[in-house]
Amino acid sequence: MRSRIEKWLAEYSKILIFKGSNPEFFEAVCSKIFQNAESDRTLFITTDYAGEYKNVNVKAVGEKGIHEILELYYMYEFSDRLQIISSDGRFGTLFNYVGTGVLTFDEAIEAFLY
């Protein structure tokens, strides 16, 4: 897995890992980025939704693959170009702001992208 991550980091300017996140959020982020001219420089990694997209920049790696990526990332925190989007409750997230009404769904997407 480490060699795949190194290859992806060399090839893409940003890698977004979606772990247990809301499918609606995943779809909205993908749609927004695919409209951008830089979309070919962003890789989306997910466990669940890749089959719905015909874009080569969306890859499914399965639960085991996500676990290996996160294990490496948390151990070394080796790149600021790798972002993890998760709805697990350990840390405050944009999902919490949407859930409590502080942000709208669209505002959360904009905040995430910029």
Side-chain angles (χ1 to χ4, degrees), residues 66-77:
I66 291 284
H67 178 74
E68 290 175 10
I69 291 170
L70 295 177
E71 192 174 82
L72 282 170
Y73 178 78
Y74 290 134
M75 186 179 302
Y76 300 110
E77 293 188 26

Side-chain angles (χ1 to χ4, degrees), residues 6-106:
E6 289 173 354
K7 178 182 169 253
W8 291 336
L9 284 169
E11 187 176 343
Y12 297 96
S13 60
K14 183 183 280 189
I15 299 173
L16 304 177
I17 299 173
F18 291 84
K19 178 187 177 282
S21 63
N22 179 328
E24 185 181 358
F25 188 77
F26 178 79
E27 183 178 324
V29 169
C30 286
S31 297
K32 195 83 153 171
I33 290 179
F34 290 154
Q35 293 172 5
N36 187 334
E38 290 293 314
S39 67
D40 62 331
R41 301 288 300 147
T42 302
L43 173 65
F44 299 86
I45 299 175
T46 183
T47 55
D48 303 320
Y49 322 114
E52 300 172 20
Y53 292 88
K54 304 295 183 225
N55 192 302
V56 296
N57 294 348
V58 178
K59 300 192 185 310
V61 296
E63 286 292 332
K64 183 180 178 195
I66 291 284
H67 178 74
E68 290 175 10
I69 291 170
L70 295 177
E71 192 174 82
L72 282 170
Y73 178 78
Y74 290 134
M75 186 179 302
Y76 300 110
E77 293 188 26
F78 51 86
S79 176
D80 61 347
R81 296 182 311 165
L82 188 113
Q83 294 179 330
I84 300 164
I85 299 91
S86 175
S87 58
D88 71 16
R90 292 188 315 197
F91 306 106
T93 67
L94 288 174
F95 298 115
N96 294 21
Y97 292 124
V98 172
T100 58
V102 173
L103 292 176
T104 66
F105 187 75
D106 290 335

